[in-house]
Amino acid sequence: MTTMVMEREAPTLTATPWELVYQRPAALTDLPTHYCPGCSHGAIHRMVAEVIDELGIRERTIGVAPVGCAVFAYKYFNLDSCEAAHGRAPAMATGLKRVRPDRIVFTYQGDGDLASIGGNEILHAALRGEQITVIFVNNAVYGMTGGQMAPTTIAGMKTTSSPMGRDVLTQGYPIHIPELLAPMPGVAYAVRRSMHAVAEMRKVKKAIRMAFQAQLQGVGFSIVEILGACPTNWHVSPTDALDYIRDRMLPEYPVGDFKVDARLRD
Amino acid sequence: MTTMVMEREAPTLTATPWELVYQRPAALTDLPTHYCPGCSHGAIHRMVAEVIDELGIRERTIGVAPVGCAVFAYKYFNLDSCEAAHGRAPAMATGLKRVRPDRIVFTYQGDGDLASIGGNEILHAALRGEQITVIFVNNAVYGMTGGQMAPTTIAGMKTTSSPMGRDVLTQGYPIHIPELLAPMPGVAYAVRRSMHAVAEMRKVKKAIRMAFQAQLQGVGFSIVEILGACPTNWHVSPTDALDYIRDRMLPEYPVGDFKVDARLRD
Amino acid sequence: METSIIISGFGGQGALFAGQVLAYAAMESGKEVTWIPSYGPEMRGGTAHCTVVIGDEPIGAPLVRNPDCVIAMNLPSVDKYTPLVKVGGLLLYDSTLVKQSLLRDDIVSAAVPAHDIALRCGSHQLVNIVMLGALLARCPLVELPAVEQALRAHLPERHADLLRPNIVALHAGAAYTASQPAV
Amino acid sequence: METSIIISGFGGQGALFAGQVLAYAAMESGKEVTWIPSYGPEMRGGTAHCTVVIGDEPIGAPLVRNPDCVIAMNLPSVDKYTPLVKVGGLLLYDSTLVKQSLLRDDIVSAAVPAHDIALRCGSHQLVNIVMLGALLARCPLVELPAVEQALRAHLPERHADLLRPNIVALHAGAAYTASQPAV
Amino acid sequence: MARELWKGNEALAEAAIRAGVDAFFGYPITPQTELLEYMARRMPELGRTFLQAESEIGAINMVYGAACAGARAMTSSSSPGISLMQEGLSYIAGSEVPCVLVDIMRGGPGLGNIQPGQADYFQLTRSAGHGDFHPLVLAPATVQEAVDLMTISFDLAFQYRTIVIIAGDGALGQMMEPVTLPPMRPPRQERPAWALTGVDGRQPNIITSLYLDADELEQVNLRLQAKLARIAAAEQRWECYLTDDADFLVVAFGTVARIARTAVRTARAAGIRAGLFRPISLWPFPAPALDQLAARVKGVVVAEMNAGQMVEDVRLIVRGRAPVRFLGRTGGVIPLPDEIASELTHMARIDAHANGDRG
Amino acid sequence: MARELWKGNEALAEAAIRAGVDAFFGYPITPQTELLEYMARRMPELGRTFLQAESEIGAINMVYGAACAGARAMTSSSSPGISLMQEGLSYIAGSEVPCVLVDIMRGGPGLGNIQPGQADYFQLTRSAGHGDFHPLVLAPATVQEAVDLMTISFDLAFQYRTIVIIAGDGALGQMMEPVTLPPMRPPRQERPAWALTGVDGRQPNIITSLYLDADELEQVNLRLQAKLARIAAAEQRWECYLTDDADFLVVAFGTVARIARTAVRTARAAGIRAGLFRPISLWPFPAPALDQLAARVKGVVVAEMNAGQMVEDVRLIVRGRAPVRFLGRTGGVIPLPDEIASELTHMARIDAHANGDRG
Amino acid sequence: MTRGTVTIQSDRCKSCGLCIQACPQHVLAFAEEFNLRGYRPVQLDEREHHCTGCGVCALVCPDVVFTVYRQPLRRAA
Amino acid sequence: MTRGTVTIQSDRCKSCGLCIQACPQHVLAFAEEFNLRGYRPVQLDEREHHCTGCGVCALVCPDVVFTVYRQPLRRAA
Ligand SMILES: Cc1ncc(C[n+]2csc(CCOP(=O)(O)OP(=O)(O)O)c2C)c(N)n1
Ligand SMILES: Cc1ncc(C[n+]2csc(CCOP(=O)(O)OP(=O)(O)O)c2C)c(N)n1
Ligand code: SF4
Ligand code: SF4
Ligand code: SF4
Ligand code: SF4
Ligand code: SF4
Ligand code: SF4
Ligand SMILES: [Mg+2]
Ligand SMILES: [Mg+2]
């Protein structure tokens, strides 16, 4: 990967040195991702990596990749990781964490993975208050397999397996994961965030940080649902995809804190 | 089965004839059950059968039996029925109902079956608002396999797989199924009832009736959780088991209506 | 030579425990032995049974269809096992509970008033060991002291007070049977 | 005899469609034919390709490692397939986009300024059909009218206005190649 | 009946529809997904049941339910999804209800990849779940054959109350070929007598695979095995290509058989009398037909896209009468005609050698 | 080391503990449950991990996770539960992490019953999931052997980075027999180099079974197959009982082999030179050892508690050199010694007949 | 005023005692004899004429042992 | 007042345009040339001296294309 530093004239006005204010996080490898242009997975990966760097836990963090477009997350995160079977990341993470309680274990999962086939694994990991962190990217479709309906597909949305638009009466209603899990006593942190705007993205990162913080403090299971864009399967441009999140997904999936353990506010 | 009519002197005071006020419902076969003395399954079966009789739907009702102590429910109900794989009754019922929408399809499931291995099937049947009725018997243990911990086992309760008492921090917290499912738009009826006293049992039956009613009206998925006794695995007498429900289970599992579709009040 | 024994009764009558005691005694006497219970979702309070096989060489099948000996502690057990006992085999039953005219003349049947004997030894819970004693009087698979030893080692601690009565019951059962003619 | 053709380009360049048109034309010409796309989670906007195999007998493998002909519509495709073309095979590439000095002298390479030709025919979206025309000029697997017919039958309705330009492009591609010497 | 170009997955779907499928339940997985997507479009149009299940476990148990109601029910998946269906399949087999399953196999084990594979051969033919049963497994080699087999699959499933599996691979699922589709069957109204339809006027129908009593379950198994024996006798399917005078035989199924066909032609061109034996039914394996050939050929090459599975069946049948060589490619690699041809050449050479024909 | 009476399920659990199991994840199912219950008591006492999973799918994927961390992880189940683990097992095999699984088989198919069975033979040896792999399958016939095999299972699993399955049945799990247990191993501290432990000071470890590129996946499969070939060569286990001079052989494993032993004695008493060949490793099947015997015996009886599974392996090896008869009982029925003995007698009689020895 | 009675399918009874505890009139008790399945079944005791036919026993009985009859009492005119 | 700049790993850029839309200073634009993977990568345009080093581009970029520098400006005394 060649780095082209755009040539620009040397700053003349001042003697203060250039400060590096942002660079690629150490918890990401150098590999370019396979994601489509504008896909939210890339930015979310980066934020997870930044949080891991900031918390200084890269050396003791273990990631669990899903089956979904983020299947190669294990190549992108510069840390020990593994690839779970479709939907089973929470079970795999449970196994890892139970035998290595001093390690930080997180799963990264899509909506098909977590909310459809893996519903039971996430439900019971949350019930058990498993000390793991779940990064849950809701893009309302099965990205990897080509845009089928997910449990999170919004009403009326056309997908390749709901070609007339999701009919909630026959195909089911959207599922609200953090709302579902928040009442469970083992859950320390359950929130929803969105990638549709700069300010929201900053909140995404803060939430990811809190979720890892919960694990570091050992206060319970933590999950951040993130509304992300899948321009490819929404058949819109990357920039329009942000509007799509705002206009179509947010009404169904309001951002918010559904559970924040009191000990986390410390 | 010999029927002993207890000999008693003929009634002398009156000319009015004896009225039959209660007899074995037609929707039960004649077979004695294999349940332990005082097991709630028997009485719950009877109430389901009574409701089916009262609604006059025996001829078009299809039952789905679980894997659990109620595995032989298909022998006891006098109607068409089948035996699902452990936890998969809601999926099987979905298949049945989708191809026979004019039939009444119900599942009868235990807490291990429904809330542990079958968590995903019940979750998604509810999400889809599947037009089925679920009779969910929570006896806080795996009865059939000899009293292991269930997801509904209450904190501190000793079972064969939580011999020191359920430690919620490592073994998970009890799950509250109707509360979990009630917020889903596809769910028309989600309540909890208890078998611990006569008055409560009358409410159990009313709830079962409402749940079938919901299906008859086509307003969505219906579920009745029923706190039932497993004297054998609780290691108490059948009568003490009622106190156990009242004193130990009710505090964790309050009876109540968590969702009653407005159309059902008509 | 393998000898197979089925011990059967209502749940709670201690059929499984009596079998284990026999198995321990056999093991300590240097025999090969297997013990296997009935298992699974049988009706609670229904019949429970176990099969013990004792031999000098490694045991083949731990489960048998036609046992050499049967101890039947209730009517359903008598009904179930009478036809199954091997020709020339032995059926012991609790004659206090079961009033049964015998159906087979190709086996040896022994009526043991085990309930009565047990009560005399101190508790109706001793029926199982009375019957075990009776069995061993007819079919000396192990010595009674070995059984005493097994009882000593394996009677659950919470029943320590029952050790003596159990030993008494064992001998009482044996003595009763020894005094009776074989039918 | 089977002839295998791989058509490859960026997603959106219509590689798969050009292959289908060829397959339809072959079928209607009474040939045996298979068409198979690349599939799976390849990077979107990355390379997409399909393989068409045409023959007189039932087709064996629908996928081939060493194709007889390759149409490469972008640089990655040229890079990927140049080494794979069968000895004596044919590589056509869009020379408007790819400035490539050829690496193999054991295959026939044909540089087609397809982008330019397509623009002249009315749209840069016609590159795929220009290349198809070019292929058929070098390797007459099917007659051009059969391809025209296939275009008529299978161009999606919403692109009906592109039918004429497509036909023009087909012939333009063929004409251009026919006019060039084979390298 | 016009020939049209159809993609394997979509042709299977349309053929199932024309064969009268009442209900499809499935979960997306590459390289099978187009089948599900096609069903998502077409089934509701026809007023039939399409449902995307929450998982393959959901799907197979929905199929189980719908089949209990007497419906023509099916699902489709690919290798990892088939693994998840094992328990359900075992229940369906134990309950003897009919259903159809499509497995568009991919590279394994584990997540593997999505390229074509045949490594589920054992899983489909030997052990589609715990317990003793075999689904009827049909392996088409062309899209046309996929259509033809799908067309009869429900009839077979209902005739025997058995599971019928159409076993394809990623290549078959993804490719387009010319096919002629059968006409649409009129919707079926009658329900089998065993189906759960409500007890109206009769004794309850019960569908279960539970028999607590060992003797009773053994009886059920004997009945099941007797049925399987009937299927084994009646439903063997295979194709012979140039086997009449063949000295050397390739045995291959599905996509590999197409390639083997080319290889046989190549070998013949090189003067080797080669032939192709192509099992179409993988279970029941067409043993007698192969047995006859095995009695007189000089060598057998088994080619598969796996590490050696069907070759066991072939060896069981050949019983040492001729050498059996195995050519396996895995991970989604499709063997080349030349690879198979050179196995044949190799065999012919060894054979010539052994016969003192040292040229 | 004193002999004590141990129940098979509990002995397996205690042996696993003494062999250093770090983590047990499981789900109750008869006739295996006592193993889980024993673990529930003992593991926490020892400060090790016990967790009752939400399902068998949860359990096997927890095992997968714990194994990725380098722990000695195990689960146990019975037939329907094993079906549910197929996907997970395939991932574990594809990722080459070590683990141990106990299958206490019961009657099938479907829910079947809870009596002893051996009908998962195919599932365990041929197809414990999609794709090409074989777990190492060990079938003890006594509780003592169950303990002995469990004692080495983790070492084998780690040596080869493979799945080791202890295949028992309801009888073995439920019975008590005298056993001598090995001493408790000191807890193991070292972690394999491939384990996920955090990247501290090294490049990331990645555990995956995904290889999108066909050639790459094929390479992985070749490596996997080469490993399986090494296991096949090195890990065959079997027992011969009175085979030295045997004319007739019984081949049986697990519980049936115990019965066959009695049958062999019975047959010998009746003047038939019978012997027992007992595979202990079901995969790898001890083929060469049986092959040698097959070359000189006059007949083989295969007895199994299924409808005929291992018999295929036996036939593959015998290759027609001697007649092979199959005796199968299913549904939880255990064959009697006499049934097996009479198969031997029958064979001997036919053989005598064929040799003109018409008495 | 209403009087009632019940018939008892003794062989179904499992001696759980739930009906005895629940009967508002306390007219139920265990028999001395065992039934076919080894349980001491419930029977109406000597106070049986107090039975009102309220059906509570039938409601609580898990084994559907009871059939309940009622007779609205009218003092003969 | 702060000025900033960014460096751009052009070959990582996928032309999604998110940064262009998000940059508060509107100093980003697509290049004419294609990068190795066939995308027209983003570059600083002629107004690049307006870049404040705010990092928004880096925040929104899914492909971690940007490195951001900042220089607190002090007018030379
Ligand atoms: C058992 C199994 N079933 C199905 C699949 C196919 N599959 C792969 S990814 C996927 C869905 C991915 O969707 P999601 O989790 O939402 O992730 P996204 O791609 O949208 O990020 C499916 C169904 C599989 N690999 N394994
Ligand atoms: C796949 C599978 N796993 C496990 C079992 C064993 N099993 C049978 S019933 C049961 C639990 C039953 O508990 P519950 O559902 O609460 O019903 P109850 O017996 O308490 O009424 C289990 C684990 C099985 N039959 N199948
Ligand atoms: S398909 Fe959607 S989720 Fe997958 S990489 Fe492309 S944009 Fe992202
Ligand atoms: S074990 Fe419990 S749930 Fe099962 S029949 Fe007995 S009392 Fe009922
Ligand atoms: S009907 Fe009422 S009063 Fe009569 S026995 Fe039953 S509970 Fe008692
Ligand atoms: S409630 Fe029913 S089963 Fe229980 S004691 Fe009364 S009659 Fe018998
Ligand atoms: S740092 Fe800020 S001002 Fe500079 S290019 Fe990036 S977004 Fe624009
Ligand atoms: S956000 Fe990143 S990938 Fe997208 S256009 Fe800007 S630099 Fe390129
Ligand atoms: Mg998604
Ligand atoms: Mg329960």
Side-chain angles (χ1 to χ4, degrees), chain F:
Chain F
M1 294 295 123
R3 290 208 326 165
E4 295 171 85
L5 271 193
W6 278 85
K7 190 171 209 184
N9 282 330
E10 297 182 344
L12 278 162
E14 179 63 25
I17 286 170
R18 296 191 183 197
V21 64
D22 295 309
F24 178 94
F25 304 93
Y27 189 77
I29 185 167
T30 314
Q32 158 276 161
T33 303
E34 296 84 358
L35 203 169
L36 172 140
E37 291 174 343
Y38 191 92
M39 289 294 191
R41 282 196 303 279
R42 283 281 281 153
M43 293 291 273
E45 277 173 21
L46 296 164
R48 306 189 194 171
T49 300
F50 166 83
L51 187 60
Q52 182 175 320
E54 62 273 18
S55 69
E56 289 87 352
I57 292 183
I60 193 67
N61 285 287
M62 290 173 191
V63 165
Y64 186 14
C68 285
R72 299 195 157 207
M74 74 174 286
T75 184
S76 61
S77 191
S78 178
S79 313
I82 304 294
S83 280
L84 288 170
M85 295 186 182
Q86 302 270 301
E87 189 201 27
L89 288 169
S90 184
Y91 272 72
I92 291 172
S95 312
E96 295 189 73
V97 294
C99 74
V100 173
L101 166 66
V102 175
D103 180 8
I104 301 296
M105 293 182 266
R106 54 189 248 181
L111 190 47
N113 66 25
I114 56 178
Q115 301 308 316
Q118 298 184 323
D120 302 356
Y121 180 91
F122 277 147
Q123 195 171 48
L124 300 180
T125 63
R126 286 301 187 289
S127 156
H130 60 283
D132 288 294
F133 71 97
H134 300 278
L136 209 169
V137 184
L138 302 172
T142 64
V143 178
Q144 181 67 58
E145 191 177 28
V147 166
D148 297 344
L149 293 173
M150 180 54 94
T151 302
I152 59 170
S153 62
F154 282 104
D155 295 336
L156 289 169
F158 273 73
Q159 176 183 348
Y160 294 110
R161 296 178 61 176
T162 196
I163 301 164
V164 175
I165 300 182
I166 309 277
D169 60 53
L172 184 79
Q174 293 296 326
M175 73 197 278
M176 289 179 106
E177 269 191 313
V179 287
T180 307
L181 281 160
M184 179 76 91
R185 279 213 211 169
R188 208 176 36 99
Q189 295 305 343
E190 78 289 2
R191 296 289 165 233
W194 49 260
L196 306 185
T197 54
V199 282
D200 218 352
R202 57 159 168 77
Q203 285 302 300
N205 281 340
I206 291 173
I207 295 180
T208 183
S209 64
L210 171 64
Y211 301 91
L212 267 197
D213 180 69
D215 293 311
E216 199 183 347
L217 181 53
E218 185 167 56
Q219 287 311 312
V220 170
N221 270 314
L222 288 173
R223 193 182 68 216
L224 196 59
Q225 291 298 321
K227 177 176 83 178
L228 291 176
R230 279 201 311 283
I231 299 177
E235 301 301 339
Q236 294 175 22
R237 286 174 167 75
W238 69 93
E239 186 201 10
C240 286
Y241 175 65
L242 305 182
T243 55
D244 283 353
D245 65 342
D247 290 331
F248 298 93
L249 212 57
V250 187
V251 184
F253 70 96
T255 292
V256 180
R258 306 170 63 115
I259 297 157
R261 216 182 160 92
T262 310
V264 163
R265 286 199 295 263
T266 312
R268 290 236 165 211
I272 298 165
R273 284 212 297 260
L276 167 67
F277 182 79
R278 178 169 74 90
I280 298 171
S281 57
L282 302 185
W283 198 95
F285 193 89
L290 179 59
D291 190 61
Q292 279 188 12
L293 291 174
R296 57 175 181 69
V297 295
K298 299 182 182 163
V300 179
V301 173
V302 179
E304 302 178 70
M305 290 194 289
N306 59 41
Q309 302 194 6
M310 180 180 67
V311 66
E312 280 198 11
D313 278 321
V314 174
R315 290 217 165 94
L316 261 169
I317 292 158
V318 174
R319 289 195 309 285
R321 288 172 290 170
V324 175
R325 283 178 71 87
F326 173 68
L327 170 71
R329 298 304 304 261
T330 67
V333 179
I334 301 181
L336 294 178
D338 289 353
E339 288 173 70
I340 301 177
S342 83
E343 288 293 325
L344 286 166
T345 318
H346 187 76
M347 249 192 168
R349 201 171 301 139
I350 289 176
D351 183 72
H353 220 69
N355 293 325
D357 183 13
R358 293 168 194 251

Side-chain angles (χ1 to χ4, degrees), chain E residues 214-275:
Chain E
D215 293 310
E216 197 184 348
L217 181 54
E218 185 167 57
Q219 287 312 312
V220 170
N221 271 314
L222 288 172
R223 194 183 68 216
L224 196 59
Q225 292 297 323
K227 177 175 84 179
L228 292 175
R230 280 201 311 282
I231 299 177
E235 301 301 338
Q236 294 176 22
R237 285 174 168 75
W238 69 92
E239 186 200 10
C240 285
Y241 175 66
L242 304 182
T243 53
D244 283 353
D245 65 343
D247 290 332
F248 298 94
L249 213 57
V250 187
V251 184
F253 69 96
T255 293
V256 180
R258 306 171 61 115
I259 297 157
R261 215 182 160 92
T262 310
V264 163
R265 287 199 295 264
T266 311
R268 290 234 164 211
I272 298 166
R273 286 212 295 259

Side-chain angles (χ1 to χ4, degrees), chain G residues 12-19 30 42 60-63 65-66:
Chain G
R12 289 187 184 277
C13 176
K14 292 178 187 152
S15 276
C16 70
L18 293 180
C19 57
F30 290 126
V42 151
V60 300
C61 175
D63 288 284
V65 165
F66 297 95

